[in-house]
Amino acid sequence: FNKVFGYYIELPKAQAQRAPDVFTRKQTLKNAERYITPELKAFEDKVTTAEARAVDRERVLFESLCGAGCEVLGELARFGDVVARTDVVLAFADKARGRGWVAPEIVDGPTLRVHGGRHPVLDELLGSSFVPNDCELGDEQPRLALVTGPNMAGKSTYIRQTALLALLALTGSFVPADRMVVGALDRIAARVGADDALHRGQSTFMVEMVETAAILNNATDRSLIVLDEIGRGTSTLDGLSLAWAIAEALSGDVSRPLTLFATHYHELTTFAEESRHASNYCVSARELGDDPVGSFPLLNA
């Protein structure tokens, strides 16, 4: 066999005169003759067309399967929904049992109380070295918490952790905490990180402002807002003015969502003295021997 002439029977010149009558000459070489027979030709056609026939057969079977599926599309959709829900619930249950998570209490009013909360990812990676944290927003407590502290103390981890616990609780999962009470939130909005969208002509600062504006325009008193270092990408005074104005908007009279606002602008700590809806929280840290700096629970400053 070769790709040019396909299958053949080759006889040397000395034997070519003795070839049977059923042999049909296909190619003549210097020292050999190549022949084909009706049976070999039929085999060659069968082999060379096998792939095309297989594709045609697969297409027929696939179209038949699609047609049969369309007839029971409603039942298939309901079955898929049941399987998906079961998979999610089993995953939640397995994680809760293996990590000792607790059932959160869901209430009607806009409130968020976490005692001994742990980050669901870092708690598993770091184990006992992760320091549990508390959070009190809403009810008798202020609805906006200004979170300050040194670099690498855990401010971003803390506010992300709180949002993750609220999300887990409202999706039906147990949570990594000693106790948690959360209201029926209508949304969880976050402005975290420093990303640009240069392909749309938006710098890091512009992306931050656009996303923050969207949060402010859609927040209600049943929203949970997480803001991390608002006011980057511009001058210090401009950034401080923006952060202050955003804090005022989130604690004003129109809508007061539950808000965790991490910032390095220490001037904002005086904002809580002017607003009864805001409070200051500070992350305390210290060195533990030769170990890296460890974060301690948030303290009401």
Side-chain angles (χ1 to χ4, degrees), residues 164-224:
L164 284 173
L165 295 189
L167 180 62
L168 283 172
L170 295 176
T171 52
S173 173
F174 282 23
V175 295
D178 296 335
R179 181 173 179 265
M180 180 175 183
V181 179
V182 61
L185 304 175
D186 61 4
R187 76 192 68 220
I188 299 174
R191 170 84 278 279
V192 177
D195 298 319
D196 59 44
L198 297 181
H199 59 285
R200 296 201 303 264
Q202 295 183 349
S203 64
T204 302
F205 176 73
M206 179 59 73
V207 169
E208 181 178 275
M209 291 299 99
V210 169
E211 294 183 357
T212 303
I215 291 174
L216 295 178
N217 289 329
N218 292 282
T220 71
D221 60 355
R222 286 186 173 273
S223 302
L224 173 61

Side-chain angles (χ1 to χ4, degrees), residues 107-144:
V107 298
D108 182 62
T111 184
L112 180 60
R113 297 197 302 274
V114 180
H115 296 162
R118 308 182 301 278
H119 193 289
V121 177
L122 296 181
D123 181 48
E124 192 161 339
L125 293 176
L126 302 180
S128 59
S129 62
F130 185 86
V131 180
N133 294 291
D134 296 346
C135 180
E136 295 277 353
L137 294 175
D139 285 343
E140 302 300 325
Q141 299 294 326
R143 299 172 66 87
L144 185 148

Side-chain angles (χ1 to χ4, degrees), residues 188-295:
I188 299 174
R191 170 84 278 279
V192 177
D195 298 319
D196 59 44
L198 297 181
H199 59 285
R200 296 201 303 264
Q202 295 183 349
S203 64
T204 302
F205 176 73
M206 179 59 73
V207 169
E208 181 178 275
M209 291 299 99
V210 169
E211 294 183 357
T212 303
I215 291 174
L216 295 178
N217 289 329
N218 292 282
T220 71
D221 60 355
R222 286 186 173 273
S223 302
L224 173 61
I225 309 300
V226 174
L227 302 176
D228 191 8
E229 302 295 348
I230 292 295
R232 290 173 294 193
T234 185
S235 66
T236 302
L237 290 180
D238 286 348
L240 173 59
S241 299
L242 285 168
W244 191 288
I246 291 167
E248 285 185 339
L250 292 171
S251 60
D253 297 327
V254 178
S255 64
R256 289 192 296 273
L258 304 175
T259 304
L260 290 168
F261 195 137
T263 181
H264 271 122
Y265 293 124
H266 61 85
E267 292 87 351
L268 276 179
T269 57
T270 61
F271 177 78
E273 301 174 2
E274 303 178 9
S275 173
R276 59 188 179 88
H277 302 298
S279 62
N280 290 325
Y281 286 81
C282 178
V283 180
S284 174
R286 71 181 184 190
E287 293 186 7
L288 303 176
D290 295 330
D291 293 334
V293 174
S295 295

Side-chain angles (χ1 to χ4, degrees), residues 16 40 53 56 67 96 156 168 172 225 240 300:
L40 186 58
R53 288 184 290 108
D56 291 339
S156 297
L168 283 172
I225 309 300
L240 173 59
N300 208 338

